[in-house]
Amino acid sequence: MNEGGEGEGESEGIGRPAPRPLTHLAQAGRRAEWTSMPGQPGGIVNPPVWRASTILYDDVAHLKAASGRDPHERLFYGRKGTPTAWSLADALTSMEPGAKGTMLFPSGVAAIACSLMAVLKPGDQLLMVDAAYDPTRGFCERMLKPLGIETIYYDPTIGADIAALFTDRTKAIFLESPGSLTFEVQDIPAITALARARDIVTLMDNTWATPLYFQALAKGVDISIVACTKYIVGHSDVMIGSATATPELWPALRSSAYLFGQMTSPDDAWLAARGLRTLGVRLAQHQAGALQVAQWLADRPEVARVLHPALPGCSGHDIWLRDFSGSTGLFTFILNGGGDKARAALIDGLAHFGIGYSWGGFESLALPVDPARYRSATRWEAEGPAIRLHIGLEDPADLITDLDAGLARFRASA
Ligand SMILES: *Cc1c(COP(=O)(O)O)cnc(C)c1O
């Protein structure tokens, strides 16, 4: 158990090997100081919800001492968090070997924005993957650009050729793997090795795999960002984000988050920590269900292609096999011909799929997506319209029956 909370991921003590990931999920973040009371034996299982703004001190000397020293993970003021948030942050840190700490944010987008602001200043250039989550692109265009920070988009399949884009002003590379909507898998070790050699910071949106299936820092990433709204929470009822950093980047990340006043409510942190306990069983089920549905779709004549990293033929499938320890429930399929109307006919009659944004909950979702609208460095071309599916925890046989009827509606309408 990583009780030190520094997340070094090493085995502790002689003859006591580090627990495997599923064991670790059950134990992470449950330090005795957060689950027990001073002077009393025993303790509760989960760190409780500590709600606070004001922290009261015994006397002026204690007040001064508290503000004088590093207040991280010490009661200081509500905005610095309480043991509820520290416990979640500690658990997330310990899932990324090589990490020093995790900051929590009110959403995944806030985590992305604040992490970029932690490493960039006017005059810098940022290399941004062309398959990035759309609001990440929006932040670059509408916030970074007016600040004099230039964003250069690159092909998600660029790999080691990214070095050709480096200039004296290149300060950071943003990675997202697999890419949003189109699921290209990036060669993260190749890119981070080149970046390190040039002192370029790498940040990765690791929401799809979570640190359970992809340990970003171990692959050379400096800041690993997760929209915990998705799989960490897992129940579609909380917005929360996290950024986990190496010892080198931790001070900049922490101070950026602090200066922007970023924090999360203890109730939301508590729900996310509750979700984390079942992340392993949920992801295994999302993975199995999604593979079953994706393989079924791949054999259908109405379907031109399935974009799922675990299926051979998906861009970067070999890299996924090499670097990831699992796949999750989100993927896209491309229809063979047909237009918007036929796609809507397929989606509209689905009985077991909700129609809506976000993903990562226990419920299945279907979303019409148009990746070409969010590209600038590369051209997205496809045989027909695209649908992104999130495969929830329902029985995949029911989902397949549902999609079968949907494809019949598509044929009738196309
Ligand atoms: C949803 C999502 C985000 C943003 O998370 P929010 O909590 O909704 O702000 C970031 N990256 C990816 C890949 C996402 O799917």
Side-chain angles (χ1 to χ4, degrees), residues 292-329:
Q292 210 177 317
V293 174
Q295 275 153 356
W296 180 83
L297 282 168
D299 287 340
R300 292 290 304 222
E302 302 90 341
V303 174
R305 273 185 290 153
V306 179
L307 310 176
H308 184 308
L311 292 196
C314 184
S315 175
H317 168 69
D318 294 343
I319 299 173
W320 174 81
L321 271 179
R322 185 192 68 190
D323 292 346
F324 287 66
S325 56
S327 62
T328 60

Side-chain angles (χ1 to χ4, degrees), residues 183-206:
F183 298 91
E184 300 91 339
V185 185
Q186 292 193 256
D187 194 340
I188 304 285
I191 294 173
T192 56
L194 289 162
R196 288 249 161 126
R198 290 277 300 248
D199 274 337
I200 297 169
V201 175
T202 52
L203 309 96
M204 176 177 174
D205 185 330
N206 196 21

Side-chain angles (χ1 to χ4, degrees), residues 107-109 112 133 176 180 205 207 227 229-230 239-240 359:
S107 69
V109 163
I112 292 166
Y133 182 61
E176 185 180 330
S180 269
D205 185 330
T207 302
T229 307
K230 311 291 166 59
M239 303 291 300
I240 185 167
W359 49 277

